[in-house]
Amino acid sequence: MLENVFLRVFTKFKLEFYQHLFTRFEDRETSLTTMEAFCMETIDAIGSPTINEFATFAQISPSNAAYKVNSLIRKGYVEKRQSQRDKREYHLIVTEKYREYYGGGSQYLHTIVERMGKRFKPRELKKFSEMLQIISDELMPEVRLPDGNAEEVSRKKHRKSEPAPITSLSKRSMRVRRLSLPNHQEDL
């Protein structure tokens, strides 16, 4: 039962995201291939990686990663920016073009969270949030993401100049993004 419900919710999120992408693909002269869209999602999720960090995370060869990244650069969805700290390093930065064309997928999540805030009591939301955090932190060790809070702050600071710093992609140093639920702290 739980597995079926979880799969159903996960599938609905995926399908809504695909619907969003399909509407964007239809009228774009430089649309992304399916693989390029997956690469963009990965680069965006891990936040300003180098090509080698992207390759390591995606479990592909650095030459294959470089080929994919160069295609994304040609289409204007990714930029390479030299690190101010280490001039030998270049970080992959998601461009505004990508955000404008393909970046609206998180709006659906925001809508669902708002609906949850109306449907459930604050203590239920708090418990659900705690459960999701445990699932993300403890039960899904195979996939690690940078800390969403620190990443977003860092991205805003570095949007125009230096790329957001990325930590090592080792399991020890990566943290998982947190789901933001409506702020009902006063009711808890």
Side-chain angles (χ1 to χ4, degrees):
M1 170 79 176
L2 176 62
E3 187 173 333
N4 290 339
V5 172
F6 197 90
L7 181 61
R8 191 165 174 80
V9 169
F10 178 68
T11 300
K12 284 185 173 187
F13 273 112
K14 282 193 311 186
L15 289 177
E16 194 284 332
F17 175 71
Y18 297 156
Q19 284 176 331
H20 175 79
L21 283 182
F22 288 141
T23 61
R24 298 300 194 169
F25 278 136
E26 204 164 273
D27 59 315
R28 301 290 176 228
E29 61 194 51
T30 56
S31 290
L32 298 173
T33 66
T34 304
M35 184 54 68
E36 288 171 336
F38 290 148
C39 289
M40 286 303 306
E41 284 291 306
T42 302
I43 291 167
D44 192 26
I46 60 180
S48 304
T50 64
I51 290 177
N52 282 335
E53 289 169 336
F54 167 63
T56 299
F57 188 89
Q59 299 178 355
I60 59 177
S61 71
S63 60
N64 192 1
Y67 176 80
K68 290 175 184 341
V69 166
N70 286 333
S71 176
L72 295 169
I73 290 171
R74 277 193 306 278
K75 291 183 178 184
Y77 294 107
V78 170
E79 297 175 354
K80 284 197 312 191
R81 291 206 191 134
Q82 189 174 33
S83 171
Q84 296 298 327
R85 288 183 305 241
D86 183 348
K87 300 290 186 191
R88 298 170 296 174
E89 271 189 354
Y90 286 85
H91 292 271
L92 304 176
I93 307 298
V94 174
T95 65
E96 285 303 311
K97 178 179 180 179
Y98 172 75
R99 296 211 184 283
E100 288 172 12
Y101 292 165
Y102 298 96
S106 63
Q107 181 59 40
Y108 185 62
L109 176 62
H110 181 73
T111 299
I112 299 304
V113 170
E114 280 183 350
R115 290 174 184 165
M116 289 170 63
K118 293 175 184 171
R119 170 66 172 81
F120 299 106
K121 295 176 183 166
R123 73 175 187 280
E124 292 172 319
L125 291 173
K126 182 178 180 190
K127 184 62 178 174
F128 183 64
S129 181
E130 290 169 358
M131 292 171 73
L132 285 176
Q133 194 66 53
I134 290 167
I135 291 167
S136 182
D137 290 348
E138 298 173 21
L139 306 180
M140 298 178 80
E142 298 81 7
V143 179
R144 299 285 184 174
L145 296 175
D147 181 7
N149 297 334
E151 175 190 345
E152 192 55 38
V153 168
S154 185
R155 258 196 203 156
K156 286 178 184 172
K157 282 184 192 173
H158 296 90
R159 193 159 272 156
K160 299 287 183 206
S161 59
E162 169 76 5
I166 185 166
T167 59
S168 164
L169 291 178
S170 70
K171 289 183 179 182
R172 181 179 299 154
S173 66
M174 298 297 278
R175 300 292 179 256
V176 180
R177 291 183 191 213
R178 290 177 170 41
L179 174 64
S180 299
L181 293 175
N183 190 2
H184 294 293
Q185 296 298 324
E186 63 278 354
D187 298 333
L188 298 177

